[in-house]
Amino acid sequence: MRKLFVMTLLCASIAHAERVSGTGEYSFGPDTAENVACRLAEEKAKQNAIANFVGEMIEAAQNENCKDEKCTTLSTLYTEVSGEIKTVYKKDKQVYPNRDRQVCEVDIVVDVQKIINTMKFHVEGKNQLKAGERFTFQAVSGITGTVGIFNLVDKEYQMVYTDKVLETNKQIQIPSAKYKLQAELPNGKSHSNELLVFLFTDKNLTFKPRYSTMEFDSLIKDIPFNSRKVINHHVSIERQ
């Protein structure tokens, strides 16, 4: 299956701070020092606090695909918000046994400052396609960079397209004219819901053809928040 969608890069603006709590724990054995385990638990607690803060601001768009009386809701989820911990107000630590190991649990109360990606990237394209149909997306970017489009297949992210975005504030076609994307169905299927993940960054990156889910998560997290944008785009494909 070959399809497309894209995303953009962003500049970050900082807004007000908010007090939130977070919890993290780390299980460790005799080969790990308690202070090391508790430091890792604290990092998890900070990540949890940011997730609790950001989770309230995740945007969602839904469309419903119906065939006869059966409908499937397709969701496109993305966030343009992240956070940075500015102050730690409270930190509690406890270590307790768990079977043949120890667990360090850290609870924190922190001020998290909201970081908003203000540079927008706009894309228009279809959500419903017919098998064999060729298609493109129209996009306008406010910044140059690298885009990769990945299809999630059997817990593996397979790259279907990558290119440099060199023009800004001007409508561009994705993929470019020399490439073709075509919707395809798995063998024996008359309908398929496909997930495309679009990763745009201002970094000069070269993407691998395939990533495991863990590798793809690491790829995204290794790019600074204000240097990338990720969009999940669902496409429904029907046999002609």
Side-chain angles (χ1 to χ4, degrees), residues 187-214:
N187 291 334
K189 298 286 187 178
S190 60
H191 171 266
S192 180
N193 291 329
E194 297 289 341
L195 174 62
L196 295 178
V197 180
F198 308 96
L199 172 58
F200 187 95
T201 175
D202 62 352
K203 306 300 182 184
N204 185 21
L205 295 183
T206 300
F207 300 118
K208 298 194 306 183
R210 290 175 172 80
Y211 293 88
S212 68
T213 53
M214 184 177 297

Side-chain angles (χ1 to χ4, degrees), residues 21 64 116 134 143 170 183 195 197 201 213:
S21 60
E64 195 169 56
I116 303 175
R134 289 181 174 178
I143 192 169
K170 177 182 178 181
L195 174 62
V197 180
T201 175
T213 53

Side-chain angles (χ1 to χ4, degrees), residues 22-225:
T23 300
E25 61 178 42
Y26 190 88
S27 175
F28 63 100
D31 55 337
T32 303
E34 180 179 311
N35 65 325
V36 173
C38 290
R39 187 169 65 245
L40 294 171
E42 183 178 345
E43 288 304 311
K44 288 187 175 184
K46 290 178 179 179
Q47 294 171 13
N48 180 243
I50 293 175
N52 290 339
F53 173 72
V54 174
E56 300 174 358
M57 289 173 260
I58 291 178
E59 303 174 25
Q62 292 186 333
N63 63 284
E64 195 169 56
N65 176 55
C66 298
K67 183 177 178 61
D68 300 324
E69 297 181 353
K70 184 177 181 180
C71 295
T72 302
T73 299
L74 305 178
S75 298
T76 300
L77 302 175
Y78 56 94
T79 179
E80 294 181 344
V81 181
S82 187
E84 178 183 2
I85 292 177
K86 306 303 293 184
T87 307
V88 178
Y89 286 98
K90 182 181 179 182
K91 180 171 67 174
D92 294 323
K93 180 188 77 172
Q94 60 173 324
V95 179
Y96 55 88
N98 182 18
R99 297 181 180 175
D100 58 341
R101 299 176 68 81
Q102 296 280 98
V103 174
C104 181
E105 181 179 302
V106 175
D107 297 290
I108 59 173
V109 177
V110 296
D111 259 2
V112 178
Q113 196 169 60
K114 181 168 64 175
I115 305 174
I116 303 175
N117 293 314
T118 58
M119 184 170 291
K120 303 297 181 181
F121 184 91
H122 303 283
V123 171
E124 294 183 356
K126 289 184 175 182
N127 286 101
Q128 283 81 36
L129 298 168
K130 297 294 185 182
E133 179 180 354
R134 289 181 174 178
F135 65 98
T136 61
F137 285 82
Q138 304 303 315
V140 178
S141 176
I143 192 169
T144 61
T146 305
V147 63
I149 297 92
F150 301 86
N151 185 197
L152 179 59
V153 179
D154 296 330
K155 298 182 179 181
E156 183 179 72
Y157 290 87
Q158 300 177 2
M159 186 177 68
V160 297
Y161 181 78
T162 186
D163 204 356
K164 303 297 182 184
V165 177
L166 302 176
E167 297 182 282
T168 62
N169 302 314
K170 177 182 178 181
Q171 182 170 286
I172 59 174
Q173 176 178 295
I174 298 177
S176 58
K178 62 182 180 180
Y179 293 99
K180 300 292 184 183
L181 290 181
Q182 182 170 305
E184 299 176 358
L185 283 169
N187 291 334
K189 298 286 187 178
S190 60
H191 171 266
S192 180
N193 291 329
E194 297 289 341
L195 174 62
L196 295 178
V197 180
F198 308 96
L199 172 58
F200 187 95
T201 175
D202 62 352
K203 306 300 182 184
N204 185 21
L205 295 183
T206 300
F207 300 118
K208 298 194 306 183
R210 290 175 172 80
Y211 293 88
S212 68
T213 53
M214 184 177 297
E215 289 173 336
F216 195 74
D217 184 59
S218 295
L219 168 67
I220 292 172
K221 290 180 177 178
D222 285 344
I223 303 172
F225 176 76

